[in-house]
Amino acid sequence: MAPRRTGLASLLAVGALAGGALQALSFVGAGAPATRGQGLVAARVSADYLECQGPAMGDEASYPIEGPEELMCKKAHGTCPSPVQTELKWGCSRETADKICAFNRHYAEHSGYWETTKFLTEADRTQPTTFYDSVTGKPLFRAPVGRSFDAFVQESRAHGWPSFRDEEVIWDDVRCLKNGEAVSLDGTHLGHNLPDGGGNRYCINLELMCKKAHGTCPSPVQPTLKWGCSRETADRICAFNRHYAEHSGYWETTKFMAEADRAQPTTFYDSVTGKPLFRAPVGRTFDAFVKESRAHGWPSFRDEEVIWDDVRCLKNGEAVSLDGTHLGHNLPDRSGNRYCINLVSVAGAPTEGSKM
């Protein structure tokens, strides 16, 4: 299917993308989350998901993927949930980035700004570069794809801003509004889609893309966790760990058993972002959920108890959140997929709008 183009925006409005050959910003990536309650197979992504190399969407998709104007509604910090990260890659200006990302819908960094940064001297010319949201740290673009580094730079120089094509957008977190404005699902202004003879062309501000600020996560775990869980242990497991876990039976030493509501399902929230990740028990009793968790040593969830909007499993079975929080592992048994999860990873308090 041929790409579907959106309306053009002025070049001034496109200025929000500076960075020669940048990729993986906050564009909506490939692979939609599995439907809640899907009970056969775990939603999966590539094993290097936490290295932020998002999968590519199928050829049948129509690009760009449009998003509603509501994505850019007022939040805690302009259109974003928080200010940009303290230190940005390639020596990009934090002050300029914050204005463009969170308090702007039309303007951009000046044409050619990306060439005044360290991007061209620090970028790896032998493999694609992933570009991360300067606010949330989520991967938005990955380039070059299907062309050389020199071709990516040449096009970006010709237009004045890092210029990406459909296959270089990580559509999991990127959308285009009807007026051509490119934004992240979290409300970060990225730039604009300015199609040319080669198809859709996303001109993006370089300052919008950076690496995650805290290990694999955009920030440390919340100051106070539920059930008396250890914040120090949680931060190590959630953000600086891919293999280890809280000790077997740890969850029973917390206040979970004393405070859990046995009459209705409990929602478990990401200890970093506060997003809902699991809800249990579903399709069984509280006692059955506890019995299985005790038998295995960790809270054990089944497919229908996973909130797939924000949870993925890597090829090696590691369970992670879409924001990069390490959760645990999928260890299937005769009954199907069984997600053994660290309680410290899902002991967060819900953020505004995420409470279930």
Side-chain angles (χ1 to χ4, degrees):
M1 178 181 293
R4 176 168 49 81
R5 300 180 181 179
T6 59
L8 299 180
S10 70
L11 288 178
L12 282 176
V14 179
L17 7 151
L22 307 185
Q23 155 186 75
L25 289 181
S26 10
F27 280 65
V28 176
T35 304
R36 293 186 186 181
Q38 183 176 347
L40 295 179
V41 186
R44 304 185 70 84
V45 295
S46 71
D48 53 358
Y49 176 83
L50 290 185
E51 278 67 56
C52 299
Q53 298 181 3
M57 293 192 74
D59 293 334
E60 73 279 1
S62 179
Y63 300 109
I65 299 180
E66 286 191 3
E69 177 66 26
E70 288 71 25
L71 289 174
M72 302 300 283
C73 67
K74 183 174 175 58
K75 302 182 184 70
H77 190 75
T79 60
C80 298
S82 61
V84 298
Q85 297 177 2
T86 305
E87 294 185 11
L88 301 181
K89 295 173 70 175
W90 308 304
C92 287
S93 165
R94 184 173 187 267
E95 180 181 1
T96 302
D98 201 53
K99 285 189 294 194
I100 290 177
C101 293
F103 299 95
N104 163 64
R105 301 293 302 280
H106 306 290
Y107 303 106
E109 64 200 19
H110 64 76
S111 177
Y113 169 85
W114 67 277
E115 291 194 80
T116 69
T117 71
K118 300 176 182 177
F119 173 76
L120 285 174
T121 58
E122 295 181 356
D124 188 337
R125 296 166 183 260
T126 64
Q127 58 185 0
T129 293
T130 299
F131 300 82
Y132 301 87
D133 191 316
S134 292
V135 176
T136 66
K138 294 179 181 178
L140 304 178
F141 302 89
R142 189 166 187 266
V145 172
R147 55 177 170 170
S148 66
F149 179 84
D150 289 341
F152 169 76
V153 170
Q154 182 179 359
E155 181 172 55
S156 298
R157 277 179 172 156
H159 297 297
W161 291 269
S163 298
F164 303 91
R165 296 294 177 171
D166 288 328
E167 60 273 18
E168 295 173 325
V169 181
I170 299 177
W171 290 107
D172 288 334
D173 278 288
V174 177
R175 292 292 186 274
C176 271
L177 307 188
K178 288 184 178 180
N179 66 354
E181 182 184 4
V183 303
S184 78
L185 286 185
D186 292 297
T188 305
H189 171 84
L190 305 176
H192 284 75
N193 176 24
L194 301 177
D196 59 13
N200 294 307
R201 178 171 53 85
Y202 309 94
C203 295
I204 305 301
N205 292 292
L206 182 60
E207 286 137 327
L208 308 181
M209 306 167 277
C210 63
K211 193 174 182 180
K212 291 181 180 176
H214 193 73
T216 60
C217 297
S219 62
V221 298
Q222 297 177 358
T224 303
L225 300 180
K226 296 172 68 175
W227 308 305
C229 286
S230 166
R231 185 174 187 268
E232 181 181 0
T233 301
D235 202 54
R236 287 201 306 261
I237 289 178
C238 290
F240 299 96
N241 162 62
R242 302 292 302 281
H243 307 289
Y244 304 106
E246 65 197 23
H247 64 75
S248 176
Y250 169 85
W251 67 278
E252 290 196 82
T253 69
T254 71
K255 299 177 183 178
F256 174 77
M257 290 296 295
E259 296 180 356
D261 187 337
R262 296 165 183 260
Q264 58 185 1
T266 295
T267 300
F268 299 80
Y269 297 88
D270 191 317
S271 292
V272 175
T273 66
K275 294 179 181 178
L277 303 179
F278 301 90
R279 193 163 187 266
V282 173
R284 55 178 170 169
T285 66
F286 179 84
D287 288 341
F289 169 75
V290 169
K291 181 179 180 180
E292 182 172 54
S293 298
R294 278 179 172 157
H296 297 295
W298 290 267
S300 298
F301 302 90
R302 296 294 177 171
D303 287 330
E304 61 273 16
E305 296 172 325
V306 182
I307 300 176
W308 291 109
D309 290 334
D310 279 288
V311 177
R312 291 293 186 275
C313 271
L314 310 187
K315 288 181 179 178
N316 65 355
E318 182 184 3
V320 302
S321 78
L322 285 184
D323 292 298
T325 304
H326 172 82
L327 304 175
H329 284 78
N330 177 25
L331 302 176
D333 58 16
R334 293 180 180 180
S335 298
N337 293 308
R338 176 170 53 84
Y339 308 94
C340 295
I341 304 299
N342 296 290
L343 188 65
V344 295
S345 297
V346 292
T351 53
E352 185 177 355
S354 68
K355 188 173 182 179
M356 297 185 66

